[in-house]
Amino acid sequence: MNLHTLRRDALAIFHAGLQAVDAIAAIRRHVSYRDQKLNIDGRTYDLSRRGHVYVVGAGKASAAMAQAIEEIVGEDKLKAGLVSVKYGHAGASLRVIQAREAGHPVPDEAGLNNSKQIIELLRQTTRDDLVICLLSGGGSALLPCPTQGVTLADKQRVTQLLLQCGATIHEINAVRKHLSQLKGGRLARLAAPSRVVSLILSDVVGDDVSSIASGPTAPDDTTFADCLRILDKYQLRDQIPSAVLKVLQRGARGQIEETPKSNDPLFRGQRRPQNLIIGSNILAVEAAKRKAEAAGYRCLVLSTLVEGETREVARVHAAIAKEICRSGNPIPRPACIISGGETTVTIRGRGLGGRNQEFALAAAIDIDGWKNVVILSGGTDGSDGPTDAAGAIADGTTVQRARLKGLDPQRFLRDNDSYHFFRALGDLLITGPTLTNVMDLRLILVG
């Protein structure tokens, strides 16, 4: 297999993974409606009674998910709905449910307005109603409604600091939950006593429903004290807004009500919220594996739980590629190594990029000169960091081609400027908004 074939196959394998986690298809696999009875993964909701169906939600895939719900349930049974989506991700055909755009990854005024309208919808619901909550990656930033005493600007500042310092998504969400009126189970509390079911596309390692979109309908086992420990871990106490620190300290002293925990009556009994994962990273990885095997590759899935600093994870993947070339381990050529999960970038430079593009750049430096090796890293949501790229593709000639154009790969890596590096080479992975999101998909192909 030559380099052209490897690059072509890498793109085809990545797109096969995307198709497996299509949001509309995921809803249809788990939701059906017949004779006024809505069946969601074995649990039946009788819609023949006087109650109504409300739809709320947030995330990059929530507009597509809302379209599927409208098509399955029908417009007559839907009372009202609103989902908050990232700018450019509202491309769905909707009649009853509104899809309104807002900022991501840093929340903005539009997201705040969307959240307030969702709260107003929830206040209209009664015990006879069903609330369907549609959640996907990006939901945390797209559902901002700060707790009393905290402004949107305060939350924006905290989010930026946590993103820049390399905090994990679990740590970021723990803080978000304790500064929010909707996250950490508080949306479910607002919707009570209505029945609540959440359909969730997971963008979190391990598919923890309390972390996806910061768990609006799931119990939260983190505490205000945990939030203070996270700030100390990254030495952020002196940088965050004083209003935020005051809220977290008051909460740790028991002066502000905690988020609802797993032993809360809200999450016990027959009327407890149903939280259902309808799509995850492993589905994308397994579909990519099937596509690669059909193309003649020997495949190995490393893990769907990969976390850590992007550059270090990239070097490990590059080392595996070189080991395959040298010894045929862990699998002989033609080989396809697949991994999923989500890494983090500690931002030190002033460039533009995202974790997948930075992964590809760090890997390109390590595989420089190695023949018939291709590495691709892409976000399944189609947007990597604050860019229009999903990721990038690199091979053993990437560094050489860059130097011929006068580009220094190490300088671009130091400046976190992987976007401009790969744009100059024509090696950005551009998909546009995919209207789904199940973390990242990384491929190593060795011919």
Side-chain angles (χ1 to χ4, degrees):
M1 294 177 178
N2 59 34
L3 194 57
H4 173 77
T5 300
L6 290 169
R7 290 172 65 96
R8 181 200 65 199
D9 288 348
L11 292 170
I13 294 166
F14 177 77
H15 282 283
L18 282 185
Q19 291 170 10
V21 289
D22 175 80
I24 293 176
I27 292 281
R28 290 191 172 279
R29 281 196 297 268
H30 293 273
V31 181
S32 62
Y33 182 56
R34 185 177 180 182
D35 297 331
Q36 298 197 66
K37 289 183 173 59
L38 186 65
N39 186 282
I40 301 179
D41 208 47
R43 188 181 292 189
T44 299
Y45 299 89
D46 189 348
L47 304 186
S48 65
R49 301 171 184 174
R50 60 184 178 179
H52 299 289
V53 178
Y54 291 82
V55 177
V56 297
K60 299 171 189 175
S62 59
M65 298 167 78
Q67 178 180 326
I69 290 296
E70 276 199 1
E71 292 171 352
I72 293 169
V73 177
E75 297 173 30
D76 294 342
K77 269 296 174 183
L78 293 173
K79 177 68 173 179
L82 191 153
V83 293
S84 184
V85 302
K86 182 178 177 178
Y87 291 115
H89 287 64
S93 177
L94 295 170
R95 294 181 179 272
V96 178
I97 306 166
Q98 299 178 62
R100 297 194 174 175
E101 297 182 336
H104 177 278
V106 178
D108 65 3
E109 198 71 30
L112 176 59
N113 291 334
N114 293 345
S115 300
K116 289 179 177 178
Q117 289 185 51
I118 286 174
I119 289 174
E120 289 305 310
L121 277 181
L122 294 174
R123 285 176 174 159
Q124 297 175 27
T125 63
T126 70
R127 183 178 180 84
D128 295 325
D129 296 329
L130 173 66
V131 175
I132 299 176
C133 187
L134 306 174
L135 300 173
S136 65
S140 290
L142 293 163
L143 206 62
C145 197
T147 191
Q148 187 175 3
V150 176
T151 67
L152 178 62
D154 291 336
K155 284 200 71 175
Q156 289 172 328
R157 177 61 177 160
V158 172
T159 300
Q160 288 172 329
L161 288 169
L162 290 167
L163 287 168
Q164 290 171 359
C165 75
T168 68
I169 189 63
H170 299 282
E171 291 170 330
I172 294 171
N173 285 348
V175 176
R176 282 170 164 167
K177 291 175 189 179
H178 287 85
L179 299 175
S180 173
Q181 296 183 46
L182 287 170
K183 300 180 177 74
R186 288 177 168 143
L187 189 152
R189 179 176 280 168
L190 279 168
S194 302
R195 299 294 297 270
V196 176
V197 55
S198 284
L199 304 176
I200 304 166
L201 274 173
S202 173
D203 72 327
V204 171
V205 171
D207 300 335
D208 177 8
V209 295
S210 69
S211 290
I212 303 162
S214 296
T217 60
D220 172 38
D221 291 327
T222 67
T223 65
F224 282 105
D226 291 331
C227 296
L228 292 174
R229 282 191 285 270
I230 290 166
L231 297 182
D232 290 338
K233 175 181 177 180
Y234 296 102
Q235 300 179 340
L236 295 178
R237 277 210 196 204
D238 295 336
Q239 299 179 56
I240 67 168
S242 59
V244 170
L245 184 59
K246 182 178 179 180
V247 165
L248 297 180
Q249 289 175 328
R250 289 186 62 215
R253 291 195 296 267
Q255 296 171 335
I256 297 176
E257 185 181 23
E258 261 290 358
T259 50
K261 311 305 178 189
S262 54
N263 61 352
D264 191 294
L266 178 67
F267 297 109
R268 307 177 74 178
Q270 291 185 343
R271 294 184 67 87
R272 67 186 181 277
Q274 180 185 6
N275 289 296
L276 177 64
I277 300 287
I278 62 169
S280 64
N281 190 255
I282 194 167
L283 293 177
V285 166
E286 289 175 345
K289 181 175 182 284
R290 290 193 297 270
K291 180 70 173 179
E293 288 174 339
Y297 292 91
R298 298 178 178 89
C299 289
L300 175 66
V301 174
L302 284 182
S303 174
T304 60
L305 306 175
V306 174
E307 296 180 283
E309 186 67 31
T310 296
R311 297 183 192 185
E312 298 305 317
V313 176
R315 292 185 179 111
V316 170
H317 282 65
I320 293 171
K322 291 186 283 189
E323 187 64 38
I324 293 171
C325 292
R326 281 184 171 174
S327 68
N329 290 315
I331 54 174
R333 295 187 278 187
C336 176
I337 302 290
I338 306 171
S339 73
E342 189 169 293
T343 61
T344 53
V345 174
T346 302
I347 299 174
R348 298 183 177 90
R350 297 184 178 181
L352 183 65
R355 61 182 179 268
N356 289 287
Q357 295 161 78
E358 181 143 324
F359 179 98
L361 178 52
I365 293 169
D366 273 18
I367 62 171
D368 179 28
W370 288 78
K371 293 182 179 180
N372 292 333
V373 175
V374 169
I375 292 181
L376 179 150
S377 185
T380 55
D381 60 354
S383 56
D384 185 35
T387 75
D388 60 355
I393 186 168
D395 59 54
T397 72
T398 296
V399 168
Q400 181 183 2
R401 287 186 287 118
R403 287 176 177 151
L404 289 174
K405 288 180 173 287
L407 307 175
D408 179 359
Q410 291 284 2
R411 182 182 68 79
F412 279 87
L413 186 61
R414 284 194 300 272
D415 203 30
N416 299 114
D417 200 17
S418 51
Y419 178 83
H420 292 113
F421 177 85
F422 284 111
R423 187 174 71 174
L425 296 178
D427 284 341
L428 289 172
L429 178 61
I430 305 288
T431 64
T434 62
L435 305 185
T436 190
N437 186 16
V438 292
M439 297 185 288
D440 302 331
L441 189 59
R442 291 174 293 271
L443 307 172
I444 303 169
L445 270 63
V446 183

